[in-house]
Amino acid sequence: MTLRSKSSALSFLYGLQKFGIKLGLRNIRHLCASLGHPETRFSSVHIAGTNGKGSTSSMIAAVLTAAGYKVGLYTSPHLVEFNERIRINGRSISDRSLIRYANLIRPDVEQLGATFFEATTAIAFRYFADNHVDIAVVETGLGGRLDATNVLNPRVSVITSIGKDHTEVLGTTIEQIAREKGGIIKPGIPCVLGRMQTRAKKCLESIARANSSAVLSVEDIAVGLHSDGTLSFETPGHRYISIDLSLKGEFQWGNAAAAIAALEVLKGQGFRIPDADLRIGLSCVGQLTGLKARLQIVRRRPRILCDVAHNPDAARVLAASIAEMAHRTIHIIFGVMKDKDFDPMIQALAALQPKFYAVEASIARSLPAGDLCRALIDAGCDAEAYGTIRSALASAVAHAHADDIILITGSHYVVGEAMVAMKRGAAQGRKKN
């Protein structure tokens, strides 16, 4: 039966989630072979990491787009619409194309029992190949070594960070997780390493040596903050000045340094990336790629910020950034997935002494709001559970002073639902007027 609508295509793809996570390359290799090996028909940048890979991917894609290239971008998960996962120069795959490619891969996917991520990756690769992208920036889904995206032979590999997340799959030690993510390092292909623990860095450097891969580290890039708020980045071979980084938060400086290091590798391979275009790209990441919810201010007075921090390391960095902002009281709309280590996330955010609004996203993986609320209260937090994200948002806005901060975080799914609720609320407000 042919899939004839977006809803039927998505039902087919989401239905594959019943197969869970299957790490390994057998299925994706079969799918790519059946599709004519699209993964070999475009250049790529391959990015892994516990945190920062979405921001770094988008920075690289934004600069390449500003430099005039046709750039594919594959990230996950999405915030609002599935189509966001697959983009070219910031434009999401159309519903029509999504239906077409879902029909194209369906027979092989059903025969193999392929997973949701394997099918989505195959669609992305064929879509990029058919649209003749000059280069695609591809983010791993989980880990690296056995991730479906790891059939690529990229121009450069980037590993942004190593932290404890998905330990039930990737391992319980930093070294084990580093080995899994380091699996994207290919023989002779340069590798960029972000800021990370010494143990993780040594492990990745060992993998790079075994593959005769040159290593570029962001620790070798000096970052300077100027009085006008712009940044400078000094690599071993060049100095970039007057960078107005659109992604806010000091933690983004390291991601930008990793992006610049990867872009320098591409320049050495013949890509033309003038400094002016690099400045434009880094100052317009959201506009050029569609990236959202990285310490993003979506409303002022009170400030409403969205951030997709979804593990302990990300929560700690987010809390440090929020602490530096002027505010009266902080309200946190907070929801997490059942499989996350959320107690350290609570501890990190609790340091802000906020009022918590415990919520759950409308997916099976979400931790029930009542359970999360009990964990927050047990940790000594001021917390209340809400039946919907919309009601939590309405309550936070009603109780917030103009100088307060409302932070929405804990999960891509929670942030995505909140953004939809705010968009609908704004639309309804316009209709009334």
Side-chain angles (χ1 to χ4, degrees):
M1 181 178 175
T2 302
L3 304 170
R4 298 187 181 280
S5 66
K6 179 182 178 180
S7 61
S8 63
L10 290 179
S11 293
F12 158 63
L13 290 169
Y14 287 134
L16 302 175
Q17 291 178 334
K18 66 187 177 186
F19 295 116
I21 297 172
K22 294 180 183 176
L23 293 181
L25 304 181
R26 184 183 71 87
N27 285 351
I28 192 64
R29 283 172 175 157
H30 182 108
L31 290 172
C32 285
S34 180
L35 292 170
H37 286 292
E39 79 283 6
T40 66
R41 291 160 52 194
F42 53 84
S43 294
S44 62
V45 177
H46 199 193
I47 302 184
T50 305
N51 291 304
K53 61 181 184 286
S55 296
T56 304
S57 297
S58 294
M59 289 186 205
I60 294 170
V63 171
L64 290 167
T65 299
Y69 290 100
K70 191 171 188 179
V71 186
L73 179 60
Y74 180 50
T75 59
S76 61
H78 59 274
L79 278 177
V80 178
E81 284 195 299
F82 173 92
N83 308 53
E84 298 167 18
R85 294 169 179 255
I86 304 168
R87 286 168 274 173
I88 295 178
N89 290 138
R91 294 176 62 91
S92 298
I93 185 173
S94 68
D95 292 348
R96 183 176 180 180
S97 292
L98 179 59
I99 295 165
R100 175 192 167 199
Y101 288 106
N103 277 310
L104 184 63
I105 68 168
R106 186 178 181 185
D108 286 307
V109 164
E110 292 180 335
Q111 178 187 347
L112 291 166
T115 66
F116 169 81
F117 190 72
E118 289 168 339
T120 304
T121 300
I123 289 173
F125 288 175
R126 179 62 184 263
Y127 179 68
F128 292 154
D130 286 353
N131 282 276
H132 308 290
V133 299
D134 297 307
I135 189 167
V137 184
V138 177
E139 177 188 316
T140 59
L142 178 62
R145 182 176 65 92
L146 299 175
D147 187 79
T149 61
N150 205 27
V151 292
L152 292 171
N153 189 38
R155 295 287 193 127
V156 58
S157 303
V158 182
I159 302 174
T160 58
S161 64
I162 302 292
K164 289 189 176 181
D165 196 15
H166 300 291
T167 53
E168 74 286 355
V169 177
L170 301 180
T172 57
T173 70
I174 289 296
E175 290 85 356
Q176 287 172 329
I177 295 170
R179 281 192 288 272
E180 289 301 316
K181 295 186 185 295
I184 71 167
I185 299 174
K186 301 294 195 306
I189 303 298
C191 177
V192 174
L193 301 182
R195 292 196 179 97
M196 60 187 67
Q197 296 180 37
T198 301
R199 288 180 295 156
K201 185 179 179 184
K202 286 183 177 179
C203 182
L204 294 172
E205 288 175 337
S206 175
I207 294 172
R209 282 194 299 272
N211 281 280
S212 300
S213 300
V215 173
L216 297 87
S217 174
V218 299
E219 294 175 0
D220 297 326
I221 299 177
V223 183
L225 175 64
H226 304 292
S227 58
D228 62 356
T230 64
L231 301 170
S232 63
F233 294 85
E234 188 168 356
T235 72
H238 194 70
R239 187 166 186 260
Y240 303 89
I241 59 173
S242 303
I243 304 296
D244 183 14
L245 192 60
S246 60
L247 300 186
K248 300 308 178 186
E250 189 173 337
F251 64 95
Q252 293 288 8
W253 300 0
N255 293 331
I260 287 170
L263 290 161
E264 285 201 340
V265 172
L266 295 177
K267 286 173 69 174
Q269 295 172 349
F271 281 79
R272 185 178 177 276
I273 308 171
D275 286 8
D277 291 333
L278 185 139
R279 280 194 290 272
I280 291 170
L282 292 180
S283 68
C284 302
V285 177
Q287 298 95 310
L288 292 171
T289 69
L291 182 72
K292 296 181 176 69
R294 269 65 176 182
L295 209 60
Q296 179 184 358
I297 299 175
V298 296
R299 174 176 158 176
R300 299 181 186 275
R301 299 187 66 79
R303 272 177 294 174
I304 300 179
L305 293 96
C306 292
D307 193 279
V308 293
H310 60 282
N311 56 47
D313 284 348
R316 283 188 280 268
V317 170
L318 173 61
S321 296
I322 295 292
E324 294 177 357
M325 298 180 180
H327 63 272
R328 183 171 174 268
T329 302
I330 296 176
H331 308 255
I332 301 182
I333 298 171
F334 184 53
V336 296
M337 298 297 104
K338 295 174 185 175
D339 54 353
K340 293 294 180 179
D341 185 11
F342 57 84
D343 284 335
M345 296 175 68
I346 290 173
Q347 292 170 15
L349 295 172
L352 298 170
Q353 298 184 312
K355 159 70 175 178
F356 278 101
Y357 302 70
V359 298
E360 61 188 275
S362 54
I363 64 169
R365 276 183 62 209
S366 192
L367 182 71
D371 293 351
L372 178 58
C373 187
R374 281 188 289 275
L376 287 162
I377 292 172
D378 288 346
C381 301
D382 178 9
E384 187 174 347
Y386 286 81
T388 65
I389 292 171
R390 179 189 291 273
S391 64
L393 182 60
S395 180
V397 170
H399 289 93
H401 184 273
D403 295 326
D404 288 357
I405 288 175
I406 298 173
L407 172 65
I408 306 166
T409 192
S411 159
H412 284 76
Y413 302 101
V414 167
V415 172
E417 287 187 30
M419 293 182 84
V420 170
M422 284 185 281
K423 185 176 181 180
R424 287 176 179 167
Q428 289 171 355
R430 285 193 294 271
K431 287 179 182 178
K432 289 178 182 177
N433 293 334

